Amino acid sequence: DVKVTQSSRYLVKRTGEKVFLECVQDMDHENMFWYRQDPGLGLRLIYFSYDVKMKEKGDIPEGYSVSREKKERFSLILESASTNQTSMYLCASSTGTGGVGEKLFFGSGTQLSVL
Amino acid sequence: QKEVEQDPGPLSVPEGAIVSLNCTYSNSAFQYFMWYRQYSRKGPELLMYTYSSGNKEDGRFTAQVDKSSKYISLFIRDSQPSDSATYLCAMIPYGQNFVFGPGTRLSVLP
């Protein structure tokens, strides 16, 4: 089974802190994604990566950055956490075939609260 | 108009009922269609995947795609309390990123 592991299930941080969310996948997938999920707003794409050291902005990249130093690991960084970044953060990976068989697999999520 | 619309719910049904969950989309470039199930405070898990018009069955679940009408559905037969979750439709055009519906929360009452 594909496994996408997020390092923390729950995190509580203070405004202004630098926050790191870590994600590891074990299926040698090319693509990795960070989403946030908020009630009434659904899933919104923050950043994604098609390859090591590559990154692309999603729909809502402001206030975030990412790092992909190894194929299996994709980190989301909140440079200076703010209360409006309180959310459920979901990491995902996909096969990267871009066509038939392209499937997205999610981690269990990190519920981040910024106080 | 959003790219993907989904019945807002929430939906409550008695155990054993047939459930119909629906999404419509506007982009005819969407080629591949998925349904995800998300339990409370968990990540979404892939439930069904299809890329052609017609029906695809997996146990109690049937995914239906009508590309001409830009409409997809998920049917759950003999619904169980364990089916209580939020269901997300997702779709992807070739070579681009996934697009998700906002989700429908389903409660199956014993």
Side-chain angles (χ1 to χ4, degrees):
Chain A
D1 280 354
V2 174
K3 194 158 187 184
V4 180
T5 303
Q6 293 183 232
S7 53
S8 304
R9 290 284 288 123
Y10 301 96
L11 271 181
V12 180
K13 297 292 181 180
R14 296 199 179 276
T15 55
E17 278 193 76
K18 192 169 186 176
V19 181
F20 293 86
L21 302 182
E22 306 287 345
C23 176
V24 177
Q25 52 96 0
D26 66 358
M27 282 301 294
D28 201 34
H29 282 170
E30 301 293 329
N31 301 345
M32 296 189 74
F33 305 81
W34 277 105
Y35 292 88
R36 63 178 282 178
Q37 186 176 35
D38 301 286
L41 297 176
L43 281 162
R44 293 182 290 169
L45 182 62
I46 304 171
Y47 266 97
F48 59 101
S49 169
Y50 287 141
D51 201 352
V52 175
K53 297 193 185 296
M54 302 291 287
K55 60 184 179 182
E56 298 285 344
K57 292 180 180 179
D59 300 319
I60 51 162
E62 296 79 19
Y64 303 94
S65 62
V66 291
S67 172
R68 194 165 181 201
E69 295 296 319
K70 294 184 178 181
K71 189 175 185 179
E72 68 271 18
R73 188 179 297 270
F74 193 36
S75 302
L76 179 70
I77 303 154
L78 286 65
E79 297 291 342
S80 177
S82 63
T83 54
N84 63 12
Q85 291 179 311
T86 291
S87 185
M88 168 73 99
Y89 288 88
L90 291 161
C91 176
S93 70
S94 75
T95 49
T97 54
V100 176
E102 180 78 23
K103 297 175 185 176
L104 194 64
F105 298 93
F106 286 91
S108 294
T110 297
Q111 180 62 53
L112 173 67
S113 296
V114 183
L115 305 178
Chain B
Q1 183 189 5
K2 292 182 180 177
E3 275 195 292
V4 180
E5 306 266 7
Q6 189 170 356
D7 291 345
L11 188 60
S12 288
V13 301
E15 184 174 353
I18 296 174
V19 177
S20 171
L21 303 166
N22 307 296
C23 285
T24 57
Y25 61 96
S26 56
N27 187 348
S28 58
F30 287 135
Q31 296 292 322
Y32 313 107
F33 306 90
M34 288 141 278
W35 284 96
Y36 285 83
R37 178 176 61 196
Q38 185 176 21
Y39 292 116
S40 181
R41 288 184 287 277
K42 294 287 180 69
E45 57 177 321
L46 183 61
L47 199 57
M48 299 281 288
Y49 175 95
T50 184
Y51 56 90
S52 57
S53 282
N55 293 350
K56 180 178 181 180
E57 198 171 310
D58 184 2
R60 296 185 295 109
F61 298 89
T62 299
Q64 183 178 81
V65 174
D66 183 343
K67 288 188 179 181
S68 62
S69 301
K70 299 190 182 68
Y71 190 91
I72 69 171
S73 297
L74 178 71
F75 298 98
I76 307 174
R77 289 185 301 281
D78 187 26
S79 56
Q80 302 295 309
S82 58
D83 296 327
S84 297
T86 296
Y87 290 81
L88 304 166
C89 63
M91 44 201 80
I92 180 172
Y94 184 86
Q96 297 184 40
N97 280 330
F98 295 81
V99 180
F100 289 87
T104 299
R105 194 168 76 205
L106 171 68
S107 296
V108 181
L109 307 174

